[in-house]
Coordinates of all heavy atoms in Angstrom, one line a residue:
M1 N 69.9 116.0 167.6 CA 70.1 117.4 167.8 C 71.3 117.9 166.9 O 72.3 117.3 166.8 CB 70.4 117.6 169.3 CG 70.7 119.1 169.6 SD 71.5 119.4 171.2 CE 70.3 118.7 172.3
F2 N 71.1 119.1 166.3 CA 72.1 119.7 165.5 C 72.7 120.9 166.2 O 72.1 121.6 166.9 CB 71.6 120.1 164.1 CG 71.4 118.9 163.2 CD1 70.1 118.3 163.2 CD2 72.4 118.4 162.5 CE1 69.9 117.2 162.3 CE2 72.2 117.3 161.7 CZ 70.9 116.8 161.6
D3 N 74.0 121.1 165.9 CA 74.8 122.2 166.4 C 75.6 122.7 165.2 O 75.5 122.2 164.2 CB 75.7 121.8 167.6 CG 76.2 122.9 168.4 OD1 75.8 124.1 168.1 OD2 77.0 122.7 169.3
L4 N 76.3 123.8 165.4 CA 77.2 124.3 164.3 C 78.6 124.1 164.7 O 79.0 124.4 165.9 CB 76.9 125.8 164.0 CG 75.4 126.1 163.5 CD1 75.3 127.6 163.4 CD2 75.2 125.4 162.2
D5 N 79.4 123.7 163.8 CA 80.9 123.6 164.1 C 81.6 124.9 163.9 O 81.0 125.9 163.6 CB 81.5 122.4 163.3 CG 81.7 122.8 161.8 OD1 81.4 123.9 161.4 OD2 82.1 121.9 161.1
Y6 N 82.9 124.9 164.0 CA 83.7 126.0 163.9 C 83.5 126.8 162.6 O 83.5 128.0 162.5 CB 85.2 125.6 163.9 CG 86.2 126.7 163.8 CD1 86.4 127.5 165.0 CD2 86.9 126.9 162.7 CE1 87.4 128.5 164.9 CE2 87.8 128.0 162.6 CZ 88.0 128.7 163.7 OH 89.0 129.8 163.7
H7 N 83.1 126.1 161.5 CA 82.9 126.8 160.2 C 81.4 127.0 159.9 O 81.0 127.1 158.8 CB 83.5 125.9 159.1 CG 85.0 125.7 159.2 ND1 85.9 126.8 159.0 CD2 85.7 124.7 159.6 CE1 87.1 126.3 159.3 NE2 87.1 125.1 159.6
N8 N 80.6 126.9 161.0 CA 79.2 127.1 160.9 C 78.5 126.0 160.0 O 77.4 126.3 159.4 CB 78.8 128.5 160.3 CG 78.9 129.6 161.4 OD1 78.9 129.3 162.6 ND2 79.2 130.8 161.0
R9 N 79.1 124.8 160.0 CA 78.4 123.7 159.3 C 77.6 122.9 160.4 O 78.1 122.9 161.5 CB 79.4 122.8 158.7 CG 80.2 123.4 157.5 CD 81.2 122.5 157.0 NE 82.2 122.2 158.0 CZ 83.4 121.8 157.8 NH1 83.8 121.7 156.6 NH2 84.2 121.5 158.8
P10 N 76.5 122.4 160.0 CA 75.7 121.6 161.0 C 76.4 120.4 161.4 O 77.0 119.7 160.6 CB 74.4 121.3 160.3 CG 74.7 121.5 158.9 CD 75.8 122.5 158.7
T11 N 76.5 120.1 162.7 CA 77.1 118.9 163.2 C 76.0 118.2 164.1 O 75.2 118.8 164.7 CB 78.3 119.1 164.0 OG1 78.0 120.0 165.1 CG2 79.4 119.7 163.2
L12 N 76.1 116.9 164.1 CA 75.2 116.1 164.9 C 75.7 115.9 166.3 O 76.9 115.5 166.5 CB 75.0 114.7 164.2 CG 74.0 113.8 164.8 CD1 72.6 114.4 164.7 CD2 74.0 112.5 164.1
I13 N 74.9 116.1 167.3 CA 75.3 115.9 168.7 C 74.6 114.7 169.2 O 73.4 114.5 168.9 CB 74.9 117.1 169.5 CG1 75.5 118.4 169.0 CG2 75.3 116.9 171.0 CD1 77.0 118.5 169.1
G14 N 75.3 113.8 169.8 CA 74.6 112.6 170.3 C 75.6 111.7 171.1 O 76.6 112.2 171.6
Q15 N 75.3 110.4 171.1 CA 76.1 109.5 171.8 C 77.0 108.7 170.9 O 76.5 108.1 169.9 CB 75.2 108.5 172.6 CG 75.8 107.8 173.7 CD 74.8 107.0 174.6 OE1 73.8 106.6 174.1 NE2 75.1 106.9 175.8
C16 N 78.3 108.6 171.2 CA 79.2 107.8 170.3 C 78.8 106.4 170.3 O 78.5 105.8 171.3 CB 80.6 108.0 170.9 SG 81.8 107.0 170.0
D17 N 78.8 105.8 169.1 CA 78.4 104.4 168.9 C 79.4 103.4 169.5 O 79.1 102.3 169.7 CB 78.1 104.0 167.5 CG 76.8 104.6 167.0 OD1 75.9 104.9 167.8 OD2 76.7 104.8 165.8
A18 N 80.6 103.9 169.7 CA 81.7 103.0 170.3 C 81.8 103.2 171.8 O 81.8 102.2 172.5 CB 83.0 103.3 169.6
C19 N 82.0 104.4 172.3 CA 82.3 104.7 173.7 C 81.1 105.2 174.5 O 81.2 105.4 175.7 CB 83.5 105.6 173.8 SG 83.2 107.3 173.4
S20 N 80.0 105.5 173.8 CA 78.8 106.0 174.4 C 78.9 107.4 175.0 O 78.0 107.8 175.8 CB 78.3 105.0 175.5 OG 78.1 103.7 174.9
R21 N 80.0 108.1 174.8 CA 80.1 109.4 175.3 C 79.3 110.4 174.6 O 79.2 110.4 173.3 CB 81.6 109.8 175.2 CG 82.0 111.1 175.9 CD 83.4 111.2 175.9 NE 84.1 110.8 174.7 CZ 85.4 110.9 174.5 NH1 86.2 111.4 175.4 NH2 85.9 110.5 173.4
P22 N 78.6 111.3 175.2 CA 77.8 112.4 174.5 C 78.8 113.4 173.9 O 79.7 113.8 174.6 CB 77.0 113.0 175.6 CG 77.6 112.7 176.9 CD 78.4 111.4 176.7
C23 N 78.7 113.7 172.6 CA 79.7 114.5 172.0 C 79.2 114.9 170.6 O 78.1 114.5 170.2 CB 81.0 113.7 171.8 SG 80.7 112.2 170.9
K24 N 80.0 115.7 169.9 CA 79.8 115.9 168.4 C 80.1 114.6 167.8 O 81.1 113.9 168.1 CB 80.7 116.9 167.9 CG 80.3 118.3 168.2 CD 81.2 119.3 167.5 CE 80.8 120.7 167.8 NZ 81.7 121.7 167.2
L25 N 79.3 114.2 166.8 CA 79.5 112.9 166.1 C 80.0 113.0 164.7 O 79.7 114.0 164.0 CB 78.1 112.1 166.1 CG 77.5 111.8 167.4 CD1 76.1 111.2 167.3 CD2 78.4 110.8 168.2
F26 N 80.8 112.1 164.3 CA 81.5 112.1 163.0 C 81.2 110.7 162.4 O 81.1 109.7 163.1 CB 83.0 112.3 163.1 CG 83.3 113.6 163.7 CD1 83.4 113.7 165.1 CD2 83.5 114.7 163.0 CE1 83.7 114.9 165.7 CE2 83.9 115.9 163.6 CZ 84.0 116.0 164.9
A27 N 80.9 110.7 161.1 CA 80.7 109.5 160.3 C 81.9 109.3 159.3 O 82.2 110.2 158.6 CB 79.4 109.5 159.6
L28 N 82.4 108.1 159.3 CA 83.5 107.8 158.4 C 82.8 107.5 157.0 O 81.6 107.0 157.0 CB 84.3 106.5 158.8 CG 85.1 106.8 160.1 CD1 85.7 105.5 160.6 CD2 86.2 107.8 159.8
P29 N 83.4 107.8 155.9 CA 82.8 107.5 154.6 C 82.4 106.0 154.5 O 83.1 105.1 154.8 CB 83.9 107.8 153.6 CG 84.8 108.7 154.4 CD 84.8 108.3 155.8
G30 N 81.1 105.8 154.0 CA 80.6 104.5 153.8 C 80.2 103.8 155.1 O 79.9 102.6 155.1
R31 N 80.2 104.5 156.2 CA 79.8 103.8 157.5 C 78.6 104.5 158.0 O 78.4 105.7 158.0 CB 81.0 104.0 158.5 CG 82.3 103.4 158.1 CD 82.4 102.0 158.4 NE 82.4 101.8 159.8 CZ 82.5 100.6 160.4 NH1 82.7 99.6 159.7 NH2 82.5 100.6 161.7
Y32 N 77.7 103.7 158.6 CA 76.4 104.1 159.1 C 76.7 104.7 160.6 O 76.1 105.7 161.0 CB 75.4 103.0 159.2 CG 74.1 103.4 159.8 CD1 73.2 104.3 159.1 CD2 73.8 103.0 161.1 CE1 72.0 104.7 159.7 CE2 72.6 103.4 161.7 CZ 71.7 104.2 161.0 OH 70.6 104.6 161.6
A33 N 77.5 104.0 161.3 CA 77.7 104.4 162.7 C 78.4 105.7 162.8 O 79.1 106.2 161.9 CB 78.6 103.3 163.4
R34 N 78.1 106.4 163.9 CA 78.7 107.7 164.2 C 79.4 107.7 165.5 O 79.0 107.1 166.4 CB 77.6 108.8 164.2 CG 76.9 109.0 162.9 CD 76.0 110.2 162.9 NE 75.3 110.3 161.6 CZ 75.8 111.0 160.6 NH1 76.9 111.7 160.7 NH2 75.1 111.0 159.5
H35 N 80.6 108.3 165.5 CA 81.5 108.2 166.6 C 82.0 109.6 167.0 O 82.0 110.6 166.2 CB 82.7 107.3 166.3 CG 82.3 106.0 165.9 ND1 82.2 105.6 164.6 CD2 81.9 104.9 166.6 CE1 81.8 104.3 164.5 NE2 81.6 103.9 165.7
C36 N 82.6 109.7 168.2 CA 83.3 110.9 168.7 C 84.6 111.0 167.9 O 85.0 110.1 167.2 CB 83.6 110.8 170.2 SG 84.8 109.6 170.7
L37 N 85.2 112.2 168.0 CA 86.4 112.4 167.2 C 87.5 111.4 167.5 O 88.2 110.8 166.6 CB 87.0 113.8 167.5 CG 88.1 114.3 166.6 CD1 87.8 114.3 165.2 CD2 88.6 115.7 167.1
E38 N 87.7 111.0 168.8 CA 88.8 110.1 169.2 C 88.5 108.7 168.6 O 89.4 108.0 168.1 CB 88.9 110.0 170.7 CG 89.4 111.3 171.3 CD 88.4 112.3 171.6 OE1 87.2 112.1 171.2 OE2 88.7 113.3 172.3
C39 N 87.2 108.2 168.7 CA 86.9 106.9 168.2 C 87.0 106.9 166.7 O 87.4 105.9 166.1 CB 85.5 106.5 168.7 SG 85.5 106.1 170.5
S40 N 86.5 107.9 166.1 CA 86.6 108.0 164.6 C 88.0 107.9 164.1 O 88.3 107.1 163.2 CB 86.0 109.3 164.1 OG 84.6 109.4 164.2
A41 N 88.9 108.6 164.8 CA 90.3 108.5 164.4 C 90.9 107.1 164.6 O 91.6 106.6 163.8 CB 91.1 109.5 165.2
D42 N 90.5 106.5 165.8 CA 91.0 105.1 166.1 C 90.5 104.1 165.1 O 91.2 103.2 164.6 CB 90.7 104.7 167.5 CG 91.6 105.4 168.5 OD1 92.6 106.0 168.1 OD2 91.2 105.4 169.7
I43 N 89.2 104.2 164.8 CA 88.6 103.3 163.8 C 89.2 103.4 162.4 O 89.5 102.4 161.8 CB 87.0 103.4 163.8 CG1 86.5 102.9 165.2 CG2 86.4 102.7 162.7 CD1 85.1 103.3 165.4
A44 N 89.4 104.7 162.0 CA 90.0 104.9 160.7 C 91.4 104.3 160.7 O 91.9 103.7 159.7 CB 90.1 106.4 160.4
T45 N 92.2 104.5 161.8 CA 93.5 103.9 161.9 C 93.5 102.4 161.8 O 94.3 101.8 161.1 CB 94.2 104.3 163.2 OG1 94.2 105.8 163.3 CG2 95.6 103.8 163.4
L46 N 92.5 101.8 162.5 CA 92.3 100.3 162.4 C 92.1 99.8 161.0 O 92.6 98.8 160.5 CB 91.2 99.8 163.3 CG 91.5 99.9 164.8 CD1 90.3 99.4 165.6 CD2 92.7 99.1 165.2
F47 N 91.3 100.6 160.2 CA 91.0 100.2 158.8 C 92.3 100.2 158.0 O 92.6 99.3 157.2 CB 90.0 101.1 158.2 CG 88.6 100.9 158.6 CD1 87.7 102.0 158.7 CD2 88.1 99.7 158.9 CE1 86.4 101.8 159.1 CE2 86.8 99.5 159.2 CZ 85.9 100.6 159.4
V48 N 93.1 101.3 158.2 CA 94.3 101.4 157.5 C 95.3 100.3 157.8 O 95.9 99.7 157.0 CB 95.0 102.8 157.7 CG1 96.4 102.9 157.1 CG2 94.1 103.9 157.1
L49 N 95.4 100.1 159.2 CA 96.3 99.0 159.6 C 95.9 97.6 159.1 O 96.8 96.8 158.7 CB 96.4 99.0 161.1 CG 97.2 100.2 161.8 CD1 97.0 100.2 163.3 CD2 98.7 100.0 161.4
A50 N 94.6 97.4 159.1 CA 94.1 96.1 158.6 C 94.5 95.9 157.1 O 94.9 94.8 156.7 CB 92.6 95.9 158.8
T51 N 94.3 97.0 156.4 CA 94.7 96.9 154.9 C 96.2 96.7 154.7 O 96.6 95.8 153.9 CB 94.3 98.2 154.2 OG1 92.9 98.4 154.4 CG2 94.6 98.2 152.8
E52 N 97.0 97.3 155.5 CA 98.4 97.2 155.5 C 98.8 95.8 155.9 O 99.7 95.2 155.3 CB 99.1 98.2 156.3 CG 99.2 99.6 155.7 CD 100.0 99.6 154.4 OE1 101.2 99.1 154.4 OE2 99.5 100.1 153.4
I53 N 98.2 95.3 156.9 CA 98.6 93.9 157.4 C 98.2 92.9 156.3 O 99.0 92.0 156.0 CB 97.8 93.6 158.7 CG1 98.4 94.4 159.9 CG2 97.9 92.1 159.0 CD1 97.6 94.4 161.2
D54 N 97.0 93.0 155.7 CA 96.7 92.1 154.6 C 97.6 92.2 153.4 O 98.1 91.1 152.9 CB 95.2 92.4 154.1 CG 94.2 92.0 155.0 OD1 94.5 91.2 156.0 OD2 93.0 92.4 154.9
A55 N 98.0 93.4 153.1 CA 98.9 93.6 151.9 C 100.3 93.0 152.2 O 100.9 92.3 151.4 CB 99.0 95.1 151.6
N56 N 100.8 93.2 153.4 CA 102.1 92.7 153.8 C 102.1 91.2 153.9 O 103.0 90.5 153.5 CB 102.5 93.3 155.2 CG 103.1 94.7 155.0 OD1 103.0 95.3 153.9 ND2 103.6 95.3 156.1
R57 N 101.0 90.6 154.4 CA 100.9 89.1 154.5 C 100.9 88.5 153.1 O 101.5 87.5 152.8 CB 99.6 88.7 155.2 CG 99.7 88.8 156.7 CD 98.6 88.0 157.4 NE 98.8 88.0 158.8 CZ 97.9 88.4 159.7 NH1 96.7 88.7 159.2 NH2 98.1 88.4 160.9
R58 N 100.2 89.2 152.1 CA 100.2 88.7 150.7 C 101.5 88.7 150.1 O 101.9 87.9 149.2 CB 99.2 89.5 149.9 CG 97.7 89.0 150.1 CD 96.8 89.6 149.0 NE 96.8 91.0 149.0 CZ 95.9 91.8 149.7 NH1 95.0 91.2 150.5 NH2 96.0 93.1 149.6
S59 N 102.3 89.7 150.6 CA 103.7 89.8 150.1 C 104.7 89.1 150.9 O 105.9 89.2 150.7 CB 104.1 91.3 150.0 OG 103.2 92.0 149.2
N60 N 104.2 88.3 151.9 CA 105.1 87.5 152.8 C 106.1 88.4 153.6 O 107.2 88.0 153.8 CB 105.9 86.4 152.0 CG 105.0 85.3 151.6 OD1 104.0 85.0 152.3 ND2 105.2 84.8 150.4
L61 N 105.6 89.6 153.9 CA 106.4 90.5 154.8 C 106.0 90.4 156.2 O 104.9 89.9 156.5 CB 106.2 92.0 154.3 CG 106.6 92.3 152.9 CD1 106.2 93.7 152.5 CD2 108.1 92.1 152.7
N62 N 106.9 90.7 157.1 CA 106.7 90.7 158.5 C 105.6 91.7 158.9 O 105.6 92.8 158.5 CB 108.0 90.9 159.3 CG 107.8 90.7 160.8 OD1 106.9 91.3 161.4 ND2 108.7 89.9 161.3
V63 N 104.6 91.2 159.7 CA 103.5 92.1 160.1 C 103.5 92.3 161.7 O 102.5 92.9 162.2 CB 102.1 91.6 159.7 CG1 102.0 91.6 158.2 CG2 101.9 90.2 160.2
D64 N 104.6 91.9 162.4 CA 104.6 92.0 163.8 C 104.4 93.4 164.3 O 103.5 93.7 165.2 CB 105.9 91.5 164.4 CG 106.0 90.0 164.2 OD1 105.0 89.4 163.8 OD2 107.1 89.4 164.5
D65 N 105.1 94.4 163.8 CA 104.9 95.8 164.2 C 103.5 96.3 163.9 O 103.0 97.0 164.7 CB 106.0 96.7 163.5 CG 107.4 96.5 164.1 OD1 107.5 95.9 165.2 OD2 108.3 96.9 163.4
L66 N 103.0 96.0 162.7 CA 101.7 96.5 162.4 C 100.6 95.8 163.3 O 99.7 96.5 163.8 CB 101.3 96.1 160.9 CG 102.1 96.9 159.9 CD1 101.9 96.3 158.5 CD2 101.7 98.4 159.9
E67 N 100.8 94.6 163.6 CA 99.8 93.9 164.5 C 99.9 94.4 165.9 O 98.9 94.6 166.6 CB 100.1 92.4 164.5 CG 99.6 91.7 163.3 CD 99.7 90.2 163.3 OE1 100.7 89.7 164.0 OE2 99.0 89.5 162.6
R68 N 101.1 94.8 166.3 CA 101.3 95.4 167.7 C 100.6 96.8 167.7 O 99.9 97.1 168.7 CB 102.8 95.5 168.0 CG 103.1 95.6 169.4 CD 104.6 95.6 169.8 NE 105.5 95.5 168.7 CZ 106.1 94.4 168.2 NH1 105.9 93.2 168.8 NH2 107.0 94.4 167.2
E69 N 100.7 97.5 166.7 CA 100.1 98.9 166.6 C 98.6 98.7 166.6 O 97.8 99.4 167.2 CB 100.6 99.6 165.4 CG 100.1 101.1 165.4 CD 100.7 101.9 164.3 OE1 101.6 101.4 163.6 OE2 100.1 103.0 164.0
W70 N 98.1 97.7 165.8 CA 96.7 97.4 165.7 C 96.1 97.1 167.1 O 95.1 97.6 167.5 CB 96.4 96.2 164.7 CG 95.0 96.1 164.3 CD1 94.4 96.6 163.2 CD2 93.9 95.5 165.0 NE1 93.1 96.3 163.1 CE2 92.8 95.6 164.2 CE3 93.8 94.8 166.2 CZ2 91.5 95.1 164.6 CZ3 92.6 94.3 166.6 CH2 91.5 94.4 165.8
A71 N 96.8 96.2 167.9 CA 96.4 95.8 169.2 C 96.3 97.0 170.1 O 95.4 97.1 171.0 CB 97.3 94.7 169.7
E72 N 97.3 98.0 170.0 CA 97.3 99.1 170.9 C 96.1 100.0 170.6 O 95.5 100.5 171.5 CB 98.6 99.9 170.7 CG 99.9 99.3 171.2 CD 101.1 100.1 170.9 OE1 101.0 101.2 170.3 OE2 102.2 99.5 171.0
V73 N 95.8 100.3 169.3 CA 94.7 101.1 169.0 C 93.4 100.5 169.4 O 92.5 101.1 170.0 CB 94.7 101.4 167.5 CG1 93.4 102.2 167.1 CG2 95.9 102.2 167.1
D74 N 93.3 99.1 169.2 CA 92.1 98.4 169.6 C 91.9 98.5 171.1 O 90.8 98.7 171.6 CB 92.2 96.9 169.1 CG 90.9 96.2 169.3 OD1 89.9 96.7 168.9 OD2 91.0 95.0 169.8
Q75 N 93.0 98.3 171.8 CA 92.9 98.4 173.3 C 92.4 99.8 173.8 O 91.7 99.9 174.7 CB 94.2 98.0 173.9 CG 94.2 97.9 175.4 CD 93.1 96.9 175.9 OE1 93.1 95.8 175.5 NE2 92.3 97.3 176.9
R76 N 92.9 100.8 173.1 CA 92.5 102.2 173.4 C 91.0 102.4 173.2 O 90.3 103.0 174.1 CB 93.3 103.1 172.5 CG 93.3 104.6 173.0 CD 94.3 105.4 172.3 NE 94.3 105.4 170.9 CZ 95.3 105.4 170.1 NH1 96.5 105.4 170.6 NH2 95.2 105.3 168.8
L77 N 90.5 101.8 172.2 CA 89.0 101.9 172.0 C 88.3 101.1 173.1 O 87.3 101.7 173.6 CB 88.6 101.2 170.6 CG 88.6 102.1 169.4 CD1 88.5 101.2 168.1 CD2 87.5 103.1 169.4
I78 N 88.7 100.0 173.4 CA 88.1 99.2 174.5 C 88.2 99.9 175.8 O 87.2 100.0 176.6 CB 88.7 97.8 174.6 CG1 88.4 97.0 173.3 CG2 88.2 97.0 175.8 CD1 89.2 95.7 173.2
T79 N 89.3 100.5 176.1 CA 89.5 101.2 177.4 C 88.6 102.4 177.5 O 88.0 102.7 178.5 CB 91.0 101.7 177.5 OG1 91.8 100.5 177.5 CG2 91.2 102.4 178.8
R80 N 88.4 103.1 176.4 CA 87.6 104.3 176.3 C 86.1 103.8 176.5 O 85.4 104.5 177.3 CB 87.7 105.0 175.0 CG 87.0 106.4 175.0 CD 87.2 107.2 173.7 NE 88.6 107.3 173.3 CZ 89.1 106.8 172.2 NH1 88.4 106.1 171.3 NH2 90.4 106.9 171.9
H81 N 85.7 102.8 175.9 CA 84.4 102.2 176.1 C 84.1 101.8 177.5 O 83.1 102.2 178.1 CB 84.2 101.0 175.1 CG 82.9 100.3 175.4 ND1 82.8 99.2 176.2 CD2 81.6 100.5 174.9 CE1 81.5 98.8 176.3 NE2 80.8 99.6 175.5
D82 N 85.0 101.1 178.1 CA 84.9 100.6 179.5 C 84.8 101.8 180.5 O 84.1 101.8 181.4 CB 86.0 99.7 179.9 CG 85.9 98.3 179.2 OD1 84.8 98.1 178.6 OD2 86.8 97.5 179.2
A83 N 85.7 102.8 180.2 CA 85.8 104.0 181.2 C 84.4 104.7 181.2 O 83.9 105.1 182.2 CB 86.9 104.9 180.7
N84 N 83.8 104.8 180.0 CA 82.5 105.5 179.9 C 81.4 104.7 180.5 O 80.5 105.2 181.1 CB 82.2 106.0 178.5 CG 83.1 107.1 178.1 OD1 83.1 108.1 178.8 ND2 83.8 107.1 177.0
R85 N 81.5 103.3 180.3 CA 80.5 102.5 180.9 C 80.5 102.5 182.4 O 79.5 102.6 183.1 CB 80.7 101.0 180.4 CG 79.5 100.1 180.6 CD 79.7 98.8 180.1 NE 80.8 98.2 180.9 CZ 81.4 97.0 180.6 NH1 80.9 96.3 179.7 NH2 82.3 96.5 181.4
H86 N 81.7 102.5 183.0 CA 81.9 102.6 184.4 C 81.4 103.9 185.0 O 80.8 104.0 186.0 CB 83.3 102.3 184.9 CG 83.7 100.9 184.6 ND1 82.9 99.8 185.0 CD2 84.8 100.4 184.0 CE1 83.6 98.7 184.6 NE2 84.7 99.0 184.0
R87 N 81.7 105.0 184.2 CA 81.3 106.3 184.6 C 79.7 106.4 184.7 O 79.2 106.9 185.6 CB 81.8 107.4 183.7 CG 81.6 108.8 184.1 CD 81.9 109.8 183.1 NE 81.0 109.6 182.0 CZ 81.2 110.1 180.7 NH1 82.2 110.8 180.5 NH2 80.3 109.9 179.8
D88 N 79.1 105.8 183.6 CA 77.6 105.8 183.6 C 77.0 105.0 184.8 O 76.1 105.5 185.4 CB 77.1 105.2 182.3 CG 77.3 106.1 181.1 OD1 77.7 107.2 181.3 OD2 77.2 105.6 180.0
K89 N 77.7 103.9 185.1 CA 77.2 103.1 186.2 C 77.3 103.9 187.5 O 76.4 103.9 188.4 CB 78.0 101.8 186.4 CG 77.5 100.7 185.5 CD 78.3 99.4 185.7 CE 77.8 98.3 184.8 NZ 78.6 97.1 184.9
G90 N 78.5 104.6 187.7 CA 78.7 105.4 188.9 C 77.7 106.5 189.0 O 77.2 106.7 190.1
G91 N 77.3 107.1 187.9 CA 76.3 108.1 187.9 C 75.0 107.6 188.3 O 74.3 108.2 189.1
R92 N 74.6 106.4 187.8 CA 73.3 105.9 188.2 C 73.3 105.4 189.6 O 72.2 105.5 190.3 CB 73.0 104.7 187.2 CG 72.4 105.1 185.9 CD 71.7 104.0 185.2 NE 72.7 103.0 184.7 CZ 73.3 103.1 183.6 NH1 73.0 104.0 182.7 NH2 74.2 102.2 183.2
D93 N 74.4 104.9 190.1 CA 74.4 104.4 191.5 C 74.2 105.5 192.5 O 73.6 105.2 193.6 CB 75.7 103.7 191.8 CG 75.9 102.4 191.0 OD1 74.8 101.9 190.6 OD2 77.0 101.9 190.9
K94 N 74.6 106.7 192.2 CA 74.4 107.8 193.1 C 73.0 108.3 193.3 O 72.7 109.0 194.2 CB 75.3 109.0 192.7 CG 76.8 108.7 192.8 CD 77.7 109.8 192.3 CE 79.1 109.4 192.3 NZ 80.0 110.4 191.6
R95 N 72.1 108.0 192.3 CA 70.8 108.5 192.3 C 69.9 107.7 193.4 O 70.2 106.6 193.7 CB 70.1 108.4 191.0 CG 70.7 109.4 190.0 CD 70.1 109.3 188.7 NE 70.9 109.9 187.7 CZ 70.9 109.7 186.4 NH1 70.0 108.9 185.9 NH2 71.7 110.4 185.6
Ligands
ZN1 ZN1 83.8 107.5 171.2

């Protein structure tokens, strides 16, 4: 299903491939999967952090802070996914 965004551009409405929430969907460049705005931002952040961690490791620099930030963002994605999964189960149980 298509809708129009703030600038009257067509946007895809559907279910986020990460958290399953119904929403406007965004695709990162070069990626097939489509995600909600929050998951898109977190996944893009994970890509950047992974690149930085690799570069720092190659330069023998400390990556503790970057790995800690990576784990926080990753946990946020998992928490959002689990919250929506439980919400869906709750909705089905009431029927
Ligand atoms: Zn999402």
Side-chain angles (χ1 to χ4, degrees):
M1 174 196 303
F2 284 95
D3 195 4
L4 297 177
D5 72 4
Y6 181 76
H7 301 288
N8 283 335
R9 293 177 300 205
T11 57
L12 185 62
I13 304 293
Q15 196 172 35
C16 174
D17 286 336
C19 73
S20 302
R21 185 170 42 177
C23 59
K24 281 186 183 177
L25 297 173
F26 300 87
L28 294 170
R31 302 273 297 179
Y32 177 76
R34 294 185 183 272
H35 302 101
C36 67
L37 186 60
E38 292 87 351
C39 289
S40 290
D42 284 346
I43 290 167
T45 301
L46 289 177
F47 286 145
V48 171
L49 286 170
T51 301
E52 282 298 307
I53 289 168
D54 284 347
N56 283 7
R57 279 197 178 126
R58 280 195 299 273
S59 301
N60 289 323
L61 298 173
N62 187 306
V63 294
D64 290 351
D65 288 344
L66 291 170
E67 285 184 332
R68 202 171 4 261
E69 188 176 350
W70 195 96
E72 287 173 13
V73 175
D74 188 48
Q75 185 58 49
R76 195 164 55 217
L77 271 171
I78 293 168
T79 300
R80 192 178 306 120
H81 172 268
D82 288 349
N84 285 309
R85 195 179 63 186
H86 292 312
R87 187 189 66 196
D88 288 348
K89 277 184 181 174
R92 276 195 291 272
D93 290 341
K94 291 175 185 170
R95 289 180 197 158

